[in-house]
Amino acid sequence: VTIGGEAATNVQFVNGTTLTATTPRGSAGAASVVVTNPGGAQTTLTGAFTYDYARVYFAEGATGTGAQFNTAVALLNPDATLDASVHLRFLQSDGTTVSHDVTVPALGRRTVDAATVLGAGTHEFATLVESDTPVVADRTMVWNNTAYGSHTETGVASPATRWYLAEGAPHSNFDLFYTLQNATAPDAPVQVPS
C-alpha cells in the first residue's frame, strides 16, 4: 500500500474490502492510494486520501502607528527532512484578510513581521497559520517600538466553543481585554459571563 507514492506501514488485511495502515508523512491535500495484492495485481484510488493542514490560531495581533504595537510570528520547523510550506492569514478587524506564504526549511526558523506584510497604517487582526507539515508557532507583541514591554503567546491548535481563563484583573490600573477569533463563517455569537 502506498499513499501519495510513499509506502504505508503496519498494513493489516481486515477483510475483502478493508485494510488498515499507518499513513506515511505527506503534504496537505489529496493523495492517491495504490493497493497491490500478493499476486502483484494493483488498483489505484485517485485522490482517495486527504492530508489535512496543521493549523495554529492566534486571536490577538496589532501593528502600526496608531496601535502602538508591533507583532511578529515566529515559525519553527522541527522536521529533519521536509521543508514546511506555511500560509498565514491575517484576519483584520475590518473583515478583510491578507495572506502571506513562507517556506520554513527543515530544522529551520523564520519570523514574519506583520507590519511588513500588512503595510502602512494601523491594523488589528487575528492570525491563522496553516502548514503542510506541523510547525511550532508563537506570536510576540512589543509595545511602542521601544520594547517598553512585550508578551509572547503560543497559538492554539483548534477553535473551541468554551474557554476557561485563569487570569483577569479588572481593578486598579488594569484594563481587561478578551480577544476572540472566528476563522470561519458564519458569525459566532459569544457570551462572556461575569
Side-chain angles (χ1 to χ4, degrees):
V1 175
T2 64
I3 301 174
E6 299 293 326
T9 57
N10 304 315
V11 178
Q12 299 291 316
F13 174 80
V14 176
N15 59 42
T17 60
T18 305
L19 297 171
T20 63
T22 302
T23 59
R25 301 242 0 217
S27 295
S32 294
V33 177
V34 177
V35 178
T36 306
N37 72 17
Q42 276 188 353
T43 189
T44 300
L45 304 166
T46 304
F49 187 83
T50 301
Y51 287 98
D52 201 4
Y53 287 98
R55 290 182 174 89
V56 180
Y57 297 82
F58 296 99
E60 181 183 22
T63 193
T65 54
Q68 302 266 332
F69 294 104
N70 191 32
T71 300
V73 178
L75 304 165
L76 169 70
N77 179 1
D79 194 283
T81 58
L82 295 176
D83 291 350
S85 295
V86 181
H87 181 72
L88 293 95
R89 288 194 283 155
F90 295 93
L91 312 170
Q92 300 189 95
S93 59
D94 66 3
T96 61
T97 299
V98 175
S99 295
H100 180 75
D101 294 316
V102 62
T103 298
V104 183
L107 297 177
R109 182 183 185 282
R110 294 289 183 263
T111 300
V112 177
D113 178 64
T116 301
V117 173
L118 298 173
T122 299
H123 304 275
E124 295 176 344
F125 53 89
T127 307
L128 173 58
V129 177
E130 297 174 303
S131 178
D132 63 351
T133 189
V135 294
V136 178
D138 66 40
R139 187 265 308 129
T140 298
M141 291 181 67
V142 177
W143 278 259
N144 74 10
N145 297 325
T146 66
Y148 162 75
S150 66
H151 63 96
T152 299
E153 299 294 336
T154 299
V156 297
S158 65
T161 57
R162 183 173 294 216
W163 293 93
Y164 297 95
L165 306 173
E167 182 185 15
H171 60 78
S172 304
N173 290 324
F174 294 102
D175 292 321
L176 179 62
F177 296 91
Y178 295 111
T179 55
L180 307 172
Q181 175 184 18
N182 179 14
T184 61
D187 292 348
V190 175
Q191 292 181 341
V192 180
S194 52

